[in-house]
Amino acid sequence: MNTTGGQTPDAAGMRAYAEELRATFMRLQEEAPALHEKARAVQVTEKSRDGLVAATVGANGDLIRLDLDPRIYRRQDARGLADAITQTIHAAVAKAQDRVVEIFAPLIPAEQMRAHIDGDLDAVLEQMSMQMPKRMTESP
């Protein structure tokens, strides 16, 4: 039986992983409240390609403000205007999400944070299981 410091390699790996989780949890507990406040304050304004539509969204993608340049009335294209508004809001939401991911980058891997923002629990759990020592994730 191969042992390391009186422990089997599997036990040593599990102990190291548990210690890593504990350290990560402690960092989260200490740093997360400030990062959370910073993330909640995120606001992004994006303009349409033609500059006639400006949308401001918050960290959760909620629409805070929509500005329409009066020149939009020169064209009688309701569908085009609706598409421009939708595309502009989507672009602003994507940028807001990018900023939130950047804010949490020191604590949470970008892929895991994006999966969390997207509500993709399967991806979050898969990424967490990939971080576990190999023997812990194998079925007996």
Side-chain angles (χ1 to χ4, degrees):
M1 176 188 279
N2 186 7
T3 61
T4 306
Q7 300 175 5
T8 65
D10 291 345
M14 289 183 352
R15 183 175 300 274
Y17 180 67
E19 181 57 33
E20 182 182 330
L21 283 177
R22 187 187 75 70
T24 299
F25 176 76
M26 296 303 286
R27 279 188 64 208
L28 278 171
Q29 197 171 23
E30 291 172 10
E31 298 175 29
L35 294 178
H36 181 70
E37 282 303 311
K38 188 175 179 181
R40 285 181 47 168
V42 166
Q43 287 190 3
V44 172
T45 300
E46 186 72 12
K47 286 192 171 194
S48 61
R49 283 185 228 148
D50 61 9
L52 301 179
V53 176
T56 302
V57 300
N60 293 327
D62 49 322
L63 183 63
I64 295 170
R65 182 179 175 101
L66 179 65
D67 292 310
L68 304 174
D69 187 296
R71 293 177 292 160
I72 64 165
Y73 298 111
R74 292 182 187 160
R75 286 184 271 160
Q76 299 294 318
D77 182 9
R79 178 74 267 146
L81 176 58
D83 289 345
I85 290 170
T86 301
Q87 291 168 358
T88 304
I89 291 171
H90 286 212
V93 168
K95 283 188 177 182
Q97 288 176 346
D98 288 346
R99 286 218 185 125
V100 170
V101 169
E102 288 172 16
I103 289 168
F104 280 96
L107 295 177
I108 301 171
E111 307 83 34
Q112 192 171 347
M113 190 65 195
R114 285 195 190 285
H116 178 72
I117 288 171
D118 293 341
D120 188 351
L121 182 60
D122 290 336
V124 171
L125 293 175
E126 180 180 331
Q127 289 167 9
M128 290 175 69
S129 70
M130 288 173 33
Q131 293 173 336
M132 296 174 73
K134 187 162 178 64
R135 293 286 292 181
M136 288 180 66
T137 59
E138 293 176 351
S139 299

